[in-house]
Amino acid sequence: MSSKKTDALLNWLITITVIFGLSLTVIFFALSSIKELSIPEKIQYRNQALTTTAIVFLALAAMFNTYYAAKRAQVMQKNAIAAEKNLEIGIQNTKLNQDRLIAERFMGAIAQLGHEKVETRTGAIYALERVAQDFPQEHWTIMEILTAFVRENAPIQHVKAEQQKAEYSPAVYSSRRRTGSPPTQQLEQNLHEELPKIRTDIQAALTIISRRNLLEDPKEQKLDLRNIDIRGADLLKANLQQADLRGADLSGANLREADLSEADLNGAKLVKSILYETKLLKASLCGANLCWANLNRANLCGANLRSANLSGASLRVANLQGANLYKANLQQATLKLANLSGAKLFLANLQGAKLGKANLEMTGLIGANLSGANLNGANLSRANLNAAKLHQTEVYFANLSEASLTEADLYQANLIGANLYRATFYQANLTQANLMGANFSEANLSDVKLEGTILTGAKNLELEQIREALGDRTTRLPDYIEAPTDWRQSS
């Protein structure tokens, strides 16, 4: 009902009420004027008339009060609606101003990214960071702009990459060994090449990307930094979780304490990079070149290092639990005190590697090359070393309990004081190996070659075990065991 109709109805009600009230008053006063009535009756009628008149006026006052209260409420409601509309308009204007401000700052910064002066480009990059901080809804867009800037301005040189790949390949390494030149010396000479200095604006972009607010990253989105050349970059404590760095060249980069968990580094180059205490949990490093990298105390738990080149790398106290190192090159690598429990090192090249006191419990080393490696004090319990090569390997006081060494080649290996409890050496080659003081309790020596092997001082070695082995008169047995007849008669 409109306000005009409401006012007309109220006026009619007031008029009817007044007429009704005045009519009653007149009637009562008329009755009080009748001569036949007594004085008390006249007084009574007049009082009733006055009372009726008072009630009528009180009702009128209440009606007026109710009416104007309703009017005030209606006015307040209209004002509230108007204020709400003004607020919405204000919010819309603010959003428009904000969008305009973002657009202006965006366009200004992006326009300066192509400036000829590096100082201007660097300033534009930091301006974009400020926009990302002030307007979180633009965070990921800016990260994509910065990663695109790095990709466009620091592309990998494919020709040079192929040369480097050939230069540090295991085949070249092996050929150098055959020519007689020391492999480590040759590799060091190739790695002494001075790295180019990274551009200031590219370093600035990488710094901003690496320190971004990870909580603003959208799910299922990854930083695209593929095939970039950022050799010597400073990425200290960088946050590069799940980043796509396939084919990137990070040689000599400082990635100390960085987070590269679940990052894709397939085919990446990290030659001589600093990865001290870096998180590489479940990272993919298939075919990556980590030659001479510093991975001390790095966390590579569950990482995929299939066919990776880690020759000369330092992995002291590194966590490689459950890592995949199938066919990885670990020549001359340092893995002292490293945790390799449950890792897969099938056909891996560990020639000359230092694995002193490393944890290799239940590690898969089938067909691995451990020739000349140092495994002193290592824990190899329940490890699988079937068909592994351990030529002249140092295994002093190592724990090989329940390990499987079927058809393993331990020619001239040094196993002094090793724990061989329940170890399986079926058809293994222990020719000229040194097993002084080793524990042979329940070990399987079936068809094991023991020509020239030193077994003096061996513990828990039984005659039945010796009878199952293949020795000769050059085999040196403990004093309490007499050599089998066929051994003594052998030439």
Side-chain angles (χ1 to χ4, degrees):
M1 187 180 291
S2 64
S3 58
K4 290 183 178 180
K5 290 182 179 180
T6 304
D7 293 342
L9 180 61
L10 182 65
N11 292 333
W12 275 107
L13 288 172
I14 291 170
T15 302
I16 292 168
T17 304
V18 170
I19 293 170
F20 179 73
L22 290 175
S23 299
L24 290 175
T25 304
V26 171
I27 291 169
F28 282 121
F29 270 104
L31 291 173
S32 64
S33 300
I34 298 173
K35 294 180 180 180
E36 288 81 4
L37 296 174
S38 62
I39 292 174
E41 289 177 339
K42 290 180 179 181
I43 292 170
Q44 182 181 356
Y45 280 121
R46 288 178 180 177
N47 288 338
Q48 288 179 350
L50 292 171
T51 302
T52 302
T53 303
I55 291 170
V56 169
F57 281 105
L58 284 172
L60 286 172
M63 290 175 67
F64 276 116
N65 185 51
T66 304
Y67 172 73
Y68 285 110
K71 278 287 187 182
R72 284 195 299 274
Q74 190 176 13
V75 171
M76 289 176 67
Q77 186 178 3
K78 287 181 180 180
N79 291 336
I81 293 169
E84 187 177 351
K85 288 182 179 179
N86 290 333
L87 180 62
E88 289 178 359
I89 293 169
I91 291 170
Q92 290 176 356
N93 290 334
T94 303
K95 190 176 183 304
L96 289 171
N97 291 331
Q98 180 177 315
D99 292 342
R100 185 167 58 252
L101 178 62
I102 293 172
E104 290 174 357
R105 290 171 66 178
F106 246 140
M107 296 306 297
I110 292 170
Q112 290 178 335
L113 284 177
H115 200 275
E116 60 181 8
K117 290 186 177 180
V118 68
E119 298 88 351
T120 305
R121 295 196 300 272
T122 304
I125 289 165
Y126 283 107
L128 284 171
E129 181 187 29
R130 187 61 184 271
V131 173
Q133 292 172 347
D134 294 342
F135 307 104
Q137 67 273 21
E138 304 300 332
H139 164 85
W140 189 248
T141 303
I142 291 169
M143 292 305 115
E144 288 185 325
I145 291 169
L146 293 176
T147 52
F149 175 81
V150 175
R151 290 197 308 273
E152 291 297 319
N153 289 273
I156 196 78
Q157 300 297 321
H158 292 289
V159 175
K160 192 167 186 179
E162 289 173 3
Q163 291 174 352
Q164 286 180 348
K165 183 176 181 181
E167 187 174 2
Y168 302 118
S169 67
V172 173
Y173 185 97
S174 299
S175 65
R176 284 171 181 161
R177 282 184 63 88
R178 287 193 294 271
T179 57
S181 59
T184 52
Q185 184 179 351
Q186 290 288 341
L187 283 169
E188 285 174 354
Q189 288 173 358
N190 294 325
L191 294 167
H192 280 322
E193 182 182 353
E194 188 176 350
L195 295 171
K197 187 177 180 181
I198 190 167
R199 269 172 37 185
T200 305
D201 52 344
I202 294 171
Q203 177 62 65
L206 291 169
T207 300
I208 290 164
I209 291 166
S210 63
R211 72 184 182 197
R212 74 195 185 286
N213 183 2
L214 190 65
L215 298 175
E216 299 294 339
D217 287 0
K219 292 182 179 179
E220 307 302 327
Q221 293 286 350
K222 297 180 180 180
L223 296 171
D224 188 355
L225 292 165
R226 290 173 293 170
N227 302 313
I228 58 172
D229 184 354
I230 53 172
R231 286 173 288 172
D234 185 4
L235 294 164
L236 177 68
K237 296 183 179 181
N239 194 337
L240 295 167
Q241 290 183 42
Q242 299 182 337
D244 190 349
L245 287 151
R246 284 175 291 172
D249 193 343
L250 291 139
S251 299
N254 181 9
L255 287 152
R256 185 186 179 107
E257 297 181 48
D259 192 347
L260 286 155
S261 300
E262 299 182 39
D264 191 343
L265 287 147
N266 291 341
K269 294 165 187 63
L270 292 140
V271 179
K272 295 188 76 175
S273 295
I274 300 171
L275 293 148
Y276 182 84
E277 290 189 348
T278 301
K279 293 179 182 177
L280 287 154
L281 285 84
K282 296 182 180 180
S284 186
L285 291 138
C286 294
N289 189 346
L290 291 142
C291 188
W292 299 102
N294 182 347
L295 287 147
N296 294 339
R297 296 184 178 274
N299 191 344
L300 290 143
C301 184
N304 189 351
L305 289 145
R306 186 186 179 100
S307 300
N309 185 1
L310 289 147
S311 58
S314 182
L315 293 126
R316 293 174 185 268
V317 204
N319 184 2
L320 289 146
Q321 188 174 6
N324 184 356
L325 289 146
Y326 175 74
K327 285 190 175 181
N329 181 8
L330 289 150
Q331 290 173 314
Q332 305 295 326
T334 301
L335 291 144
K336 291 181 178 179
L337 297 169
N339 183 5
L340 288 145
S341 59
K344 299 174 183 67
L345 285 149
F346 308 134
L347 302 176
N349 189 347
L350 290 147
Q351 285 180 281
K354 300 172 183 67
L355 289 147
K357 295 184 179 180
N359 183 7
L360 292 146
E361 185 178 4
M362 297 181 70
T363 301
L365 288 150
I366 298 173
N369 188 350
L370 289 147
S371 299
N374 186 324
L375 287 153
N376 294 338
N379 180 11
L380 288 149
S381 62
R382 292 183 287 172
N384 190 338
L385 289 144
N386 294 343
K389 297 176 183 177
L390 292 114
H391 291 202
Q392 300 178 337
T393 304
E394 298 288 331
V395 201
Y396 281 85
F397 301 102
N399 182 9
L400 285 152
S401 59
E402 299 184 69
S404 181
L405 293 113
T406 299
E407 297 182 0
D409 192 347
L410 292 124
Y411 175 76
Q412 291 187 345
N414 197 332
L415 290 126
I416 293 175
N419 181 8
L420 306 174
Y421 171 72
R422 285 191 175 180
T424 301
F425 287 91
Y426 178 68
Q427 292 188 347
N429 181 12
L430 283 160
T431 304
Q432 297 183 27
N434 190 342
L435 290 139
M436 290 178 63
N439 177 18
F440 281 89
S441 178
E442 298 183 44
N444 184 348
L445 299 174
S446 297
D447 296 328
V448 174
K449 294 180 180 179
L450 294 172
E451 292 89 345
T453 305
I454 301 172
L455 293 162
T456 54
K459 299 174 184 177
N460 302 311
L461 183 61
E462 303 293 337
L463 182 59
E464 289 77 10
Q465 293 170 305
I466 291 298
R467 287 173 176 171
E468 291 177 351
L470 306 172
D472 60 13
R473 56 176 147 185
T474 62
T475 305
R476 295 167 62 182
L477 296 169
D479 295 336
Y480 63 89
I481 295 178
E482 185 177 351
T485 305
D486 56 332
W487 287 23
R488 294 195 301 268
Q489 293 175 351
S490 61
S491 55

